[in-house]
Every structure is written in structure tokens, then in C-alpha cells.
Amino acid sequence: RFAYREKFVAGKVDRISLGSEHPIIQINYTKGIKGFLEGDFDYQKLSIRVDDRLKLNPFGYTYWVLSAGKTWGKVPYPLLEIHPGNETYFYDYAAFNMMNFFEFVSDYYLSGFATHHFDGFFLDKIPLLRKLKWREVAQVKAVWGQLQNSNLNLQANQSLFYSLNKKPYVEAGVGVENIFKILRVDFLWRMSYLENPNISKFGIRGSFQLTF
């Protein structure tokens, strides 16, 4: 993990990151060795993530994340990339909130998140809403991936999940944050793979959020 000029608040035991004005880069590498500590598979897994906050005064700021990863070797789906879904009523900033749990699996992928916080650019122009200090937010999340036949054929039940071989998965949403200083509500739409069974095309998610 590399964060240029990152700032912290430090205590005797731990420290809390205050972020950086520059992009933060994280790289994870995993090596599985067959036979070592009773390991069953020989594989390698690499993922890269970059995130940053882009200020667009007076229109607020955009928080964006780009990530990519690849798995080498024939492994069962728990060792592949299981794209994070969310079937709860609570908003998860790190997940695809209109995707079901374990719906999509890939052995290599590219994903992107972008959330724009308008900081009241529109709502502050409405007198009745200005006093509430509600803040608008908009977002889009997408992921594209592939699942090679060598890994697909290794799965005992190939109908449990889907691959992203056809097209990217995309969802978008708008919401309001800073409700009573601590609440955020998002209205979300699923934009692709609408033919999959047992999915929701529209959803509402809530979350607690403190902004200083």
C-alpha cells in the first residue's frame, strides 16, 4: 500500500488515517502452493486498486476507485474473484448494492466505482431545504470480467453463479446524505443482466454516515 504524504492521528496502540491528497495505490499478491500445509491447489492471485478524491469546486467532489485482478491456475470458485453483492437494506460503499450475493465470479476482472458528492449545490438553492443542509450524491459502479472454461469446468455446480463474459455489470444511483447529520438514503437502479432470475431492478438502501 502506497499513499504519498498520508496523514494520521496516532495513539499509543493504533492510528487512524486521515487520507492523502494524492491517489492511494494498493497491491495484493497471493501464492497457493499445493501440498504446503495441506494445500490442495497451486495458483497465483494478483489485484491492484487505486482510489482518489477529485475536487470539482463549486460542484463538490468525486471519490473514485479503479481495481483490476487476475488469478492464474485452476481453482474452485471460493479462490476466484467473487464480486461483492449486497442483498441487505443497508448501503455498502464497497459492494454492488443491486447484485446478489455470489451472483458473478471471475478469474480476471476490471471494475470502477465513482461517487459524486454535490455538497448541496442543488438543494441549497431551494429555501425550504437549505436549512436542512441535505446533500445530494450520485454514483455509478461497473465491473467487467471473464471466467475461463478451465475454471468453469472445475466447479461442481456451474449453475450457482454467472460470469461477466457477455458484457459489463452496471448499476447507478442517486441519493441524499447528511439527513439529521447521520443518515444517507440511496435510490439505485440495476442497468444490465436484467434477465438473471431473482434479481431486483430497483432498490432503496440506507446507511449511517458521519461527515466532519
Side-chain angles (χ1 to χ4, degrees), residues 14 20 48 51 69 87 99 101 112 121 126 135 163 176 184:
D14 54 12
S20 170
I48 301 173
D51 65 272
E87 297 181 54
M99 181 187 293
F101 294 130
F121 181 79
I126 304 174
R135 299 292 180 255
S163 68
V176 178
R184 170 174 164 173

Side-chain angles (χ1 to χ4, degrees), residues 64-201:
W64 59 267
V65 180
L66 289 176
S67 59
K70 181 174 176 60
T71 302
W72 292 268
K74 295 173 62 176
V75 293
Y77 79 89
L79 297 178
L80 298 173
E81 180 64 24
I82 303 174
H83 300 293
N86 180 21
E87 297 181 54
T88 73
Y89 292 106
F90 294 95
Y91 180 81
D92 185 348
Y93 82 96
F96 296 94
N97 287 275
M98 297 305 297
M99 181 187 293
N100 291 341
F101 294 130
F102 299 95
E103 185 176 358
F104 294 100
V105 175
S106 301
D107 46 37
Y108 62 95
Y109 68 94
L110 174 66
S111 70
F113 296 3
T115 302
H116 187 75
H117 301 261
F118 289 93
D119 284 347
F121 181 79
F122 297 106
L123 294 181
D124 279 354
K125 294 177 172 58
I126 304 174
L128 294 178
L129 295 178
R130 184 184 304 142
K131 294 182 179 181
L132 296 175
K133 295 185 179 180
W134 290 0
R135 299 292 180 255
E136 321 88 329
V137 61
Q139 62 177 286
V140 62
K141 297 183 177 183
V143 58
W144 171 85
Q146 293 283 302
L147 182 60
Q148 300 180 70
N149 288 331
S150 59
N151 279 322
L152 179 61
N153 295 333
L154 188 64
Q155 314 311 318
N157 188 344
Q158 299 178 14
S159 63
L160 288 177
F161 49 81
Y162 299 90
S163 68
L164 293 162
N165 296 357
K166 296 180 181 179
K167 54 189 175 184
Y169 170 90
V170 181
E171 65 180 42
V174 294
V176 178
E177 57 186 355
N178 201 45
I179 302 174
F180 305 122
K181 306 295 184 181
I182 60 170
L183 297 178
R184 170 174 164 173
V185 177
D186 287 89
F187 303 88
L188 304 163
W189 291 266
R190 178 168 170 148
M191 312 298 290
S192 60
Y193 290 94
L194 303 180
E195 69 280 3
N196 285 9
N198 303 316
I199 59 103
S200 297
K201 299 179 182 179

